Amino acid sequence: MKILVTGGTGYIGSHTVVELIKSNHQVVIVDNLYNSNINVLDRIEKLTGVRPLFYQVDILDYENLEKVFKENAIEAVIHFAGLKAVGESVSIPLRYYENNISGSINLYKLMEKYHVYKLVFSSSATVYGDNFAVPFKEEYGLGDTTNPYGTTKKFNEIILTDLCKANENMSCVLLRYFNPIGSHESGMLGEVPNGIPNNLVPYIAKVASGELDHLRVYGDDYDTKDGTGIRDYIHVVDLAIAHVKAIEYCNKLEGVDVINIGSGKGYSVLEVLHAYEKACGHKLPYKIYPRRPGDIATCYADIEKAKRVLGFEVKYDIDKMCEDSYRFTIMNPEGIK
């Protein structure tokens, strides 16, 4: 298939593009390069032997986004493009609502206009909120989200569900994934956040490299085994493979389906820190800070549906995730240049 990947030079997007090409799909990338680098294209080409077609376009720019559909016979879309930092979304909610919802509506309008009926949407476990018992199951539905980022994912799920009800040709897979970490094992692709990272492992990586002097651990008084928050971490390559399986699943799907993508295991902040210490070979300093607004104590996935529907299971454990993350960090001290 010829697949449009929005946000395709970003962290998850670039790894997914590699796996799509390896599975013999043609890829067209749309990205505004807000949180990525044009040189990612060179690295994708080195890894796959194929240079995907690229458009530097913001999804808020309807006119230029339409050119992508006019110039290419797009058959399916994987939609990653969006702002993604939970903490930041609490500080600047309007920017998140405009980008993640209005921009997505532009994309969905163009899909309808150009008769593109297969979509995989990059959703998140944040849509469960803190209403439910772990492990989170798809049948729980949508909870009361605890931050604007999660709310934008929730609204997109509602919009796409309504779109599939209104258009019998439409098939959408909503992948609620948990916490992607790690990097391509070649060290050529990985996460390069702007400024000080908002997410745990990129922050630990900067401590390991000496760029930051300690890890900020937000809260040690949660009702967990060591008092720190527990999350379900998944290797980004495993997650990329799940997207390939999901877009192929669209060929036989009618309507909308929701699938968790995670490891099904919960690791605390300190457990991840200690796994990273094992990868880099030395202790890493940390300090305890107050809890952040919008964070919940424990979050991990029930992954039985992914096994049943997609035939998907993770291959990599937390040690491999941290090992690959550290390799990317030491091989790319200035990011992807």
Side-chain angles (χ1 to χ4, degrees), residues 126-160:
T126 57
V127 302
Y128 290 112
D130 57 1
N131 308 72
F132 307 114
V134 291
F136 291 158
K137 304 175 186 290
E138 291 89 350
E139 57 262 34
Y140 286 167
L142 298 168
D144 295 326
T145 47
T146 60
N147 54 76
Y149 164 76
T151 304
T152 67
K153 294 297 187 182
K154 177 179 176 178
F155 285 171
N156 267 282
E157 286 203 15
I158 293 169
I159 290 165
L160 289 169

Side-chain angles (χ1 to χ4, degrees), residues 78-100:
I78 300 179
H79 180 28
F80 293 109
L83 300 173
K84 64 177 186 176
V86 169
E88 183 182 66
S89 77
V90 175
S91 302
I92 51 171
L94 287 180
R95 188 174 179 192
Y96 271 69
Y97 289 124
E98 179 185 34
N99 188 87
N100 293 9

Side-chain angles (χ1 to χ4, degrees), residues 30-321:
V30 161
D31 204 304
N32 65 2
L33 301 180
Y34 169 75
N35 197 27
S36 62
N37 190 299
I38 189 67
N39 296 307
V40 166
L41 296 174
D42 295 332
R43 298 190 175 202
I44 290 171
E45 185 175 14
K46 286 179 182 178
L47 288 169
T48 66
V50 175
R51 190 176 187 86
L53 188 60
F54 174 77
Y55 291 81
Q56 186 174 346
V57 173
D58 193 303
I59 58 173
L60 286 167
D61 183 351
Y62 184 92
E63 182 178 345
N64 282 311
L65 188 59
E66 184 168 19
K67 289 180 182 177
V68 179
F69 284 86
K70 284 181 177 178
E71 295 174 5
N72 299 277
I74 302 297
E75 297 173 83
V77 175
I78 300 179
H79 180 28
F80 293 109
L83 300 173
K84 64 177 186 176
V86 169
E88 183 182 66
S89 77
V90 175
S91 302
I92 51 171
L94 287 180
R95 188 174 179 192
Y96 271 69
Y97 289 124
E98 179 185 34
N99 188 87
N100 293 9
I101 297 174
S102 299
S104 295
I105 289 172
N106 283 343
L107 176 67
Y108 307 151
K109 284 181 177 178
L110 289 167
M111 288 180 66
E112 278 206 315
K113 183 174 181 179
Y114 288 88
H115 309 294
V116 181
Y117 297 129
K118 298 179 180 67
L119 172 72
V120 171
F121 175 64
S122 165
S123 192
S124 166
T126 57
V127 302
Y128 290 112
D130 57 1
N131 308 72
F132 307 114
V134 291
F136 291 158
K137 304 175 186 290
E138 291 89 350
E139 57 262 34
Y140 286 167
L142 298 168
D144 295 326
T145 47
T146 60
N147 54 76
Y149 164 76
T151 304
T152 67
K153 294 297 187 182
K154 177 179 176 178
F155 285 171
N156 267 282
E157 286 203 15
I158 293 169
I159 290 165
L160 289 169
T161 300
D162 289 341
L163 184 58
C164 286
K165 288 177 181 176
N167 188 333
E168 63 181 11
N169 295 311
M170 195 80 185
S171 60
C172 297
V173 180
L174 312 178
L175 292 185
R176 291 179 183 166
Y177 45 81
F178 285 65
N179 292 270
I181 61 174
S183 303
H184 195 277
E185 66 179 2
S186 66
M188 294 181 67
L189 294 176
E191 188 168 14
V192 187
N194 290 328
I196 296 176
N198 288 283
N199 296 324
L200 176 62
V201 171
Y203 203 109
I204 294 175
K206 287 188 178 292
V207 176
S209 68
E211 190 172 338
L212 296 173
D213 60 11
H214 68 276
L215 171 66
R216 291 171 170 251
V217 178
Y218 293 100
D220 67 345
D221 57 350
Y222 289 106
D223 184 17
T224 62
K225 50 192 165 186
D226 59 21
T228 63
I230 289 177
R231 298 292 182 269
D232 183 331
Y233 294 94
I234 179 173
H235 197 294
V236 66
V237 173
D238 278 331
L239 182 58
I241 291 168
H243 283 82
V244 178
K245 290 180 178 290
I247 202 69
E248 293 170 350
Y249 172 52
C250 278
N251 287 322
K252 57 184 179 182
L253 174 66
E254 294 180 357
V256 65
D257 206 355
V258 177
I259 304 174
N260 287 338
I261 302 294
S263 67
K265 299 177 182 178
Y267 298 96
S268 75
V269 172
L270 293 182
E271 285 176 323
V272 176
L273 175 65
H274 297 326
Y276 213 99
E277 289 173 336
K278 182 178 176 182
C280 69
H282 58 86
K283 289 288 186 182
L284 299 172
Y286 69 92
K287 294 180 182 179
I288 305 299
Y289 289 78
R291 298 184 186 187
R292 292 182 300 189
D295 278 349
I296 62 177
T298 304
C299 174
Y300 60 93
D302 182 304
I303 56 174
E304 291 307 310
K305 187 173 181 180
K307 293 179 184 178
R308 184 178 74 253
V309 173
L310 300 181
F312 171 76
E313 292 186 70
V314 298
K315 291 191 291 187
Y316 303 121
D317 63 13
I318 192 69
D319 288 338
K320 174 67 170 172
M321 298 179 216

